[in-house]
């Protein structure tokens, strides 16, 4: 029996060979393959759901990861619908990004090409398996997946269906590979110099930090989301109430969920109205002194707590959030700069100058005015699906769609030119 390192080494080599095939597939062949895989997953839905039930049975339902782990029939149908949407998107390959003709007659074109082999390390999110596969194939890449033990049965069932559908179309199954669950497979992936071109972690801050600190191959950080909404002095309270409720409660386990509400001191009396709907979902609030006093008697006592220093700068991934009163926009900006994660931040304001200042000065991948942070999502941005949400500034930032899975090369055409100096 192969050891984990031997298995990984074989998978890396097979993926490298498969990437040579995917890079040269026609867009129509890729689209047909994605639809065929989506059809196969739909046909095998019951087996996939049974595998997911096996995974879910090992996790407590009150674990914040449970919602991410869970696949329902509706969620699976939405995932395969996303695959078909990706199939219909324009190809990101072969685009002329820039072109110029030099004085000596050389024609220089900058053209988009696949990255090659993309490794994605993720925690209890089996939906990522099909999202990554579809985006990687559409962009001409092979993918290597490293899921967590929590989703082992789900990921195995999904990848088996993908590989079976690939083989039926006479494509190498190694276009999509799943690494063994032990952590030493993660180490092997992060050290696969010359075999894997890029690693993308999706999950907790601890996972992201581990990948960044230990990788010997390039990494794109898809960071944790510590998201804020700032209700300005000029805020429409109705808008603020609905945006806060949606951003916090739509899905608490996702990275675009609200973690901290900042409210201008001039609107402190409106805080009970802004936060009132949150009680319907039993959202616990950790409020600073001013906010606590404003909410006391106006929000369920069992759900209202005084904030501690660690209440700010925390990604709760739960029905919990912090609230802080700030005297001015400048203080809200300073708080976000100190405690944010460069993911998604929002202002609710009718004052155009305040909106403009917020949009200009907040350093985050996605900055909203009068809209929920829940929109930070590749599907909502029209990308079909996403590989992750990058919080870094090089190569890709924000929801990563097809273009983020390409690089470029220069094509230089001449007519016999030689360089003389």
């Amino acid at each position: 029996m192969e050891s984990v390192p031997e298995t990984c080494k074989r998978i890396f080599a097979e993926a490298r060979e498969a990437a040579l095939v995917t890079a040269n597939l026609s867009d129509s062949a890729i689209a047909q393959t994605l639809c065929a895989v989506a059809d196969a997953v739909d046909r095998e839905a019951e087996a996939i759901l049974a595998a997911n039930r096996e995974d879910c049975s090992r996790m407590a339902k009150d674990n914040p990861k449970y919602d991410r782990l869970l696949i329902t029939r509706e969620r699976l149908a939405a995932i395969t619908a996303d695959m078909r949407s990706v199939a219909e998107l324009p190809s990101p390959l072969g685009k002329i990004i820039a072109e110029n003709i030099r004085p000596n007659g050389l024609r220089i074109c900058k053209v988009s090409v696949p990255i090659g082999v993309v490794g994605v390390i993720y925690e209890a999110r089996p939906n990522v398996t099909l999202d990554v596969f579809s985006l990687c194939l559409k962009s001409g890449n092979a993918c290597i997946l490293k899921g967590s033990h929590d989703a082992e049965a789900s990921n195995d069932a999904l990848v088996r269906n993908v590989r079976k559908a690939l083989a039926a179309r006479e494509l190498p199954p190694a276009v999509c590979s799943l690494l063994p669950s032990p952590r030493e497979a993660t180490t092997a992936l992060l050290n696969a110099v010359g075999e894997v071109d890029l690693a993308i972690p999706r999950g907790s801050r601890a996972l992201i930090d581990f990948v960044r600190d230990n990788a010997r191959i390039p990494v794109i950080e898809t960071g944790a989301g510590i998201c804020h909404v700032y209700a300005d002095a000029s805020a429409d309270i109705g808008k603020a109430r609905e945006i806060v409720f949606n951003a916090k409660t739509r899905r608490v386990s996702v990275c675009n969920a609200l973690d901290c509400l900042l409210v201008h001191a001039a609107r402190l009396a409106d805080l009970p109205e802004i936060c009132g709907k949150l009680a319907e979902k039993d959202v616990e609030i950790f409020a600073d002194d001013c906010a606590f006093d404003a909410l006391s008697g106006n929000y369920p006592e069992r759900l209202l707590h005084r904030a501690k220093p660690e209440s700010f700068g925390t990604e709760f991934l739960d029905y919990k959030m912090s609230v802080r009163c700030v005297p001015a926009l400048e203080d809200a900006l300073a708080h976000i700069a100190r405690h944010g994660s460069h993911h998604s931040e929002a202002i609710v304001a009718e004052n155009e100058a305040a909106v403009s200042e917020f949009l200009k000065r907040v350093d985050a991948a996605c900055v909203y005015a009068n809209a929920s942070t829940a929109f930070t999502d590749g599907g909502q941005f029209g990308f079909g699906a996403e590989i992750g949400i990058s919080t870094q500034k090089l190569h890709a930032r924000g929801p990563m769609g097809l273009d983020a899975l390409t690089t470029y090369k220069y094509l230089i055409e001449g007519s016999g030119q030689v360089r003389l100096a």
Side-chain angles (χ1 to χ4, degrees):
M1 178 179 290
E2 286 184 322
S3 66
V4 170
E6 289 171 337
T7 299
C8 292
K9 187 175 181 180
R10 174 177 53 79
I11 289 173
F12 300 154
E14 291 174 351
R16 175 59 64 190
E17 290 296 318
L20 299 177
V21 176
T22 56
N24 291 290
L25 289 175
S26 69
D27 191 47
S28 62
I30 289 174
Q32 290 167 14
T33 300
L34 287 175
C35 291
V37 172
D39 291 344
V41 171
D42 283 341
R43 284 194 303 270
E44 296 298 321
E46 189 48 51
I48 293 167
L49 294 173
N52 184 249
R53 288 193 291 271
E54 177 186 337
D55 288 329
C56 290
S57 70
R58 298 193 302 269
M59 182 177 287
K61 290 188 176 181
D62 61 356
N63 188 321
K65 291 182 181 179
Y66 186 88
D67 182 61
R68 292 180 174 183
L69 175 61
L70 178 66
I71 303 176
T72 62
R73 188 170 293 276
E74 293 74 22
R75 288 184 180 183
L76 189 60
I79 292 167
T80 54
D82 284 345
M83 294 182 70
R84 295 184 180 95
S85 295
V86 170
E88 294 175 359
L89 291 173
S91 173
L93 302 175
K95 291 182 179 178
I96 297 177
I97 302 168
E99 179 181 13
N100 73 91
I101 298 176
R102 303 296 298 151
N104 62 4
L106 285 178
R107 179 174 177 264
I108 302 177
C109 287
K110 184 179 182 181
V111 180
S112 60
V113 297
I115 287 175
V117 179
V118 177
V120 179
I121 305 164
Y122 53 111
E123 294 173 324
R125 309 178 189 200
N127 64 292
V128 172
T129 301
L130 294 181
D131 287 348
V132 168
F133 163 71
S134 58
L135 289 168
C136 282
L137 182 61
K138 183 69 178 184
S139 53
N141 298 292
C143 65
I144 296 176
L145 307 170
K146 175 60 181 76
S148 66
H149 177 69
D150 290 335
E152 186 172 10
S154 305
N155 289 334
D156 184 64
L158 290 167
V159 172
R160 275 191 284 108
N161 276 279
V162 170
R163 291 168 70 94
K164 184 177 178 180
L166 288 170
R169 295 189 60 80
E170 299 184 346
L171 293 173
V175 166
C176 179
S177 301
L178 181 66
L179 290 178
S181 60
R183 289 194 65 171
E184 56 187 312
T186 302
T187 302
L189 177 62
L190 298 180
N191 285 276
V193 177
E195 298 286 358
V196 179
D197 297 290
L198 175 67
I200 303 173
R202 287 192 62 174
S204 66
R205 169 52 58 190
L207 171 66
I208 294 161
D209 288 346
F210 177 83
V211 170
R212 183 193 60 236
D213 295 344
N214 291 276
R216 295 179 59 225
I217 60 176
V219 171
I220 293 179
E221 293 185 42
T222 58
I226 301 171
C227 304
H228 299 80
V229 169
Y230 165 58
D232 184 58
S234 66
D236 178 295
I237 297 306
K239 290 179 184 177
R241 181 182 63 249
E242 297 304 320
I243 287 170
V244 167
F245 182 75
N246 179 256
K248 177 67 264 182
T249 68
R250 177 190 160 270
R251 282 189 71 183
V252 297
S253 65
V254 293
C255 57
N256 58 27
L258 174 63
D259 293 296
C260 179
L261 168 64
L262 302 171
V263 60
H264 193 286
R267 305 313 294 266
L268 200 55
D270 297 306
L271 190 57
E273 184 177 351
I274 295 173
C275 294
K277 284 186 69 174
L278 296 170
E280 298 174 10
K281 297 287 188 177
D282 286 340
V283 175
E284 292 185 62
I285 290 178
F286 301 85
D288 72 356
D289 290 342
C290 293
F292 186 92
D293 291 343
L295 290 169
S296 185
N298 296 297
Y299 197 79
E301 183 179 354
R302 64 187 175 84
L303 299 174
L304 182 60
H305 316 282
R306 289 194 184 273
K308 299 178 180 179
E310 60 268 24
S311 301
F312 304 105
T314 293
E315 184 182 26
F316 288 103
L317 300 174
D318 202 348
Y319 287 95
K320 300 176 180 180
M321 60 178 277
S322 57
V323 179
R324 182 186 174 195
C325 175
V326 292
L329 169 61
E330 195 68 33
D331 300 276
L333 294 170
H335 179 101
I336 292 170
R338 179 180 179 186
H339 295 289
S341 62
H342 310 289
H343 192 290
S344 299
E345 311 289 1
I347 182 174
V348 183
E350 298 301 305
N351 182 293
E352 292 184 6
V355 168
S356 178
E357 193 73 2
F358 190 90
L359 295 178
K360 180 174 69 174
R361 293 180 56 188
V362 169
D363 181 13
C366 299
V367 188
Y368 293 86
N370 297 311
S372 169
T373 58
F375 287 105
T376 301
D377 175 87
Q380 294 297 313
F381 279 33
F383 299 164
E386 69 181 34
I387 200 90
I389 297 170
S390 171
T391 55
Q392 65 184 43
K393 298 182 182 181
L394 294 180
H395 180 70
R397 199 178 197 199
M400 295 171 58
L402 293 172
D403 288 342
L405 290 172
T406 66
T407 182
Y408 54 82
K409 63 182 177 183
Y410 288 96
L411 304 180
I412 303 96
E413 298 180 34
S415 54
Q417 291 90 333
V418 296
R419 183 171 175 175
L420 301 177

